[in-house]
Each structure stands twice: as C-alpha cells, then as structure tokens.
Amino acid sequence: MNPIILVLFIGYVIFNRNFIIFLLDTLLNGTEEDRIKSREKSINFYRDKFSNWGDFELNRALTIIKEYPEEAQFVIREIENERK
C-alpha cells in the first residue's frame, strides 16, 4: 500500500470519527428505526406470553426478574402494576 494513501486514510478517519462510529454502529446494530421495531416486537411477544400467567407464575418471575431480558422485565413489571 502506498504510504501517502495510508496517511490520507488515517487523516480521513481522524477528522470523520463521528461518521465512522455512526456507520459501524448502523452496520452492526441496524438503524434506530430497526432497533425500535425489534424492541416493540419483543415487548409484544412477552406481553402475549406473560398475560396468561397466573399470580404464582408472576410472583416466581418477579423473584428472578434479573435473569429475563430487558423487554421481559418491562412487561413483567407492567403486568404486576396492572394487577395491583
């Protein structure tokens, strides 16, 4: 590789660091819109799953809530608040 091109590339990366970070984040995690849709899909899945649970199962889930994914924790707490 030509050393001049390497220096130009390094300079480009330094000056456009925010764009490079945004580009890598988008490639690895998808766009913000995709993340929101994925989160909503997960929340709806857990809401359907947990809404049929009885009090015993819900209380058991509350004791080990940290072991569930973030979306599931949100739904479990939401259902708990509805039943109070």
Side-chain angles (χ1 to χ4, degrees):
M1 178 179 251
N2 191 345
I4 295 173
I5 293 174
L6 181 62
V7 169
L8 288 174
F9 178 73
I10 292 171
Y12 175 79
V13 169
I14 290 172
F15 287 118
N16 293 308
R17 186 178 321 151
N18 289 336
F19 176 73
I20 300 293
I21 291 170
F22 169 77
L23 185 62
L24 288 174
D25 184 49
T26 303
L27 289 174
L28 296 175
N29 300 320
T31 63
E32 187 67 29
E33 188 175 295
D34 292 338
R35 287 183 230 162
I36 291 171
K37 285 181 184 178
S38 175
R39 179 172 166 79
E40 288 176 358
K41 185 177 177 182
S42 295
I43 287 174
N44 288 333
F45 169 76
Y46 287 117
R47 188 172 287 128
D48 291 340
K49 181 178 179 179
F50 297 149
S51 65
N52 297 327
W53 281 14
D55 290 335
F56 175 75
E57 290 139 337
L58 185 63
N59 288 334
R60 192 165 149 236
L62 284 167
T63 61
I64 57 170
I65 197 164
K66 295 287 185 186
E67 295 179 15
Y68 286 100
E70 182 181 326
E71 293 86 0
Q73 292 178 21
F74 174 76
V75 172
I76 290 170
R77 289 187 182 113
E78 185 179 72
I79 292 173
E80 178 193 24
N81 289 336
E82 288 174 3
R83 291 189 183 179
K84 284 185 177 180

